[in-house]
Amino acid sequence: MEAITVLQTNPINSYLEQELDKRFNLIRLWNFPADQKEDLFKEEENKRDIRAVVTNPVVPTDREFIDSLPGVEIVSSFSVGLDKIDLGYCKEKGIRVTNTPDVLTDDVADIAIGLILATLRRICESDRYVKAGLWKKGDFKLTTKFSGKKVGIIGLGRIGTAIAKRAEAFNCPISYYSRSQKPESKYKYFPSVVELASDCQILIVACPLTEETRHIINREVLDALGPKGFLINIGRGPHIDEPELVSALVEGRIAGAGLDVFENEPHVPEELFGLDNVVLLPHVGSGTVETRNAMADLVIGNLEAHFNKKPLLTPVV
């Protein structure tokens, strides 16, 4: 393959970076100071030579960014989420877009179940209890059972379905909300998130982030979930109106929350830090060595397929 210049927007994964370096002329955008980044995009040679962008949901691939690189033919995202990429504008400009679905489904579904168990059974708090030497002074308080709880899932795609299958193993009745009812699904469908929240004890957010799903978890939904209900989010931070969630937790209007994602990552509302009924993770749903390597392989495979004029492995646009 000819020497093709690829721009990586930010540090993502060391294995990915190494493999890109082997195959392409890799430009690491984060190594350029702010003033030099402007020079990079101003130079006609650079603008023309950069034919691919590798990115993830941290850095927006918006209209301005796309226009700054007129030679780009493909954007390969190290993520299943596409909310930071202007897909419509990429399509208009004839730029291909790929992501990394399927390979991270199991890990994200596993972390959802882990968050449920950690939140309901107070696993993190129990760990601190033992390490602080408090067990010698008395037994830990009773917690809440997971098995048999009614589970509601927002979004019954690959990840939502994988979560549902795992929850079934805990004898949990499953219901869901999505844009449209899925005739092939055996789970109970609700036409609104409020109705779903009213009927379940554990509400899980597992849908893509779009304008329609931004703040899909609002005060009305939290109140419908109620003081015995738990919220789990492994989707995207902006799915939740965070100030409303903080209020609901502080005031006891819901029982607890397990969160892997936040609206302004890595910034997390500090009001959550002192709450024992909340489990906070640093967006690690797909964070295993095996899955991140598989995601990297998909990114590279899509780039190689594009430049070898073969069908893309996971095309979006």
Side-chain angles (χ1 to χ4, degrees):
M1 186 186 295
E2 60 180 299
I4 291 167
T5 299
V6 172
L7 177 71
Q8 185 175 327
T9 57
N10 57 305
I12 297 173
N13 174 272
S14 58
Y15 168 73
L16 171 64
E17 202 174 320
Q18 291 165 11
E19 294 302 310
L20 287 171
D21 239 346
K22 290 177 186 176
R23 295 164 170 81
F24 305 101
N25 173 30
L26 181 62
I27 296 177
R28 297 165 174 84
L29 184 59
W30 66 94
N31 283 343
F32 288 81
D35 55 340
Q36 290 184 26
K37 284 179 186 177
E38 292 182 10
D39 294 337
L40 173 70
F41 291 129
K42 282 177 183 175
E43 291 182 19
E44 287 300 320
E45 185 178 347
N46 287 331
K47 289 164 66 173
R48 183 177 64 253
D49 286 351
I50 295 171
R51 296 174 61 190
V53 171
V54 172
T55 188
N56 71 352
V58 173
V59 178
T61 307
D62 53 19
R63 185 177 291 251
E64 182 182 1
F65 184 81
I66 294 165
D67 283 342
S68 70
L69 297 170
V72 167
E73 303 167 21
I74 182 170
V75 175
S76 192
S77 178
F78 186 85
S79 171
V80 69
L82 297 159
D83 46 284
K84 291 291 182 71
I85 301 174
D86 191 330
L87 297 178
Y89 196 56
C90 284
K91 187 173 183 179
E92 181 184 325
K93 301 279 285 187
I95 297 171
R96 305 304 305 274
V97 177
T98 64
N99 65 345
T100 58
D102 296 319
V103 293
L104 50 69
T105 297
D106 283 340
D107 273 350
V108 178
D110 289 350
I111 213 75
I113 299 301
L115 274 171
I116 294 170
L117 286 166
T119 305
L120 273 66
R121 297 302 306 272
R122 302 289 183 98
I123 291 174
C124 301
E125 188 183 354
S126 297
D127 174 74
R128 293 193 295 270
Y129 190 83
V130 174
K131 289 176 178 176
L134 296 175
W135 193 11
K136 298 171 185 175
K137 299 179 180 179
D139 291 339
F140 189 72
K141 61 190 173 187
L142 297 180
T143 60
T144 302
K145 185 177 181 177
F146 171 33
S147 294
K149 287 281 193 299
K150 296 172 75 174
V151 171
I153 302 173
I154 302 173
L156 201 65
R158 296 180 182 92
I159 293 172
T161 299
I163 294 169
K165 288 178 180 177
R166 285 158 172 74
E168 278 191 275
F170 289 83
N171 296 317
C172 295
I174 311 294
S175 54
Y176 74 98
Y177 163 81
S178 62
R179 286 177 299 178
S180 57
Q181 188 170 1
K182 300 184 181 298
E184 73 281 3
S185 175
K186 62 184 177 180
Y187 307 125
K188 185 176 181 180
Y189 172 73
F190 284 92
S192 77
V193 177
V194 172
E195 291 174 81
L196 177 68
S198 298
D199 190 69
C200 70
Q201 296 160 292
I202 301 169
L203 182 62
I204 303 171
V205 185
C207 56
L209 180 63
T210 65
E211 284 308 309
E212 290 73 28
T213 63
R214 188 175 298 274
H215 286 187
I216 197 168
I217 303 297
N218 53 28
R219 188 181 185 91
E220 185 181 10
V221 171
L222 293 168
D223 285 345
L225 184 58
K228 293 185 178 180
F230 294 84
L231 178 68
I232 306 294
N233 188 10
I234 49 79
R236 286 285 183 264
H239 282 131
I240 296 176
D241 184 332
E242 278 188 353
E244 288 293 350
L245 174 61
V246 170
S247 296
L249 287 163
V250 170
E251 295 166 11
R253 289 188 285 113
I254 67 170
L259 309 170
D260 184 43
V261 288
F262 303 89
E263 192 153 17
N264 298 299
E265 297 173 3
H267 304 289
V268 177
E270 292 186 7
E271 298 95 326
L272 298 176
F273 294 169
L275 301 178
D276 288 329
N277 60 340
V278 179
V279 176
L280 309 174
L281 302 182
H283 200 154
V284 292
S286 64
T288 65
V289 172
E290 298 88 345
T291 289
R292 292 290 171 86
N293 286 354
M295 290 167 68
D297 288 338
L298 261 183
V299 168
I300 294 159
N302 277 304
L303 292 175
E304 291 185 329
H306 173 76
F307 291 117
N308 286 314
K309 302 189 185 307
K310 294 180 179 180
L312 298 178
L313 305 180
T314 53
V316 178
V317 171

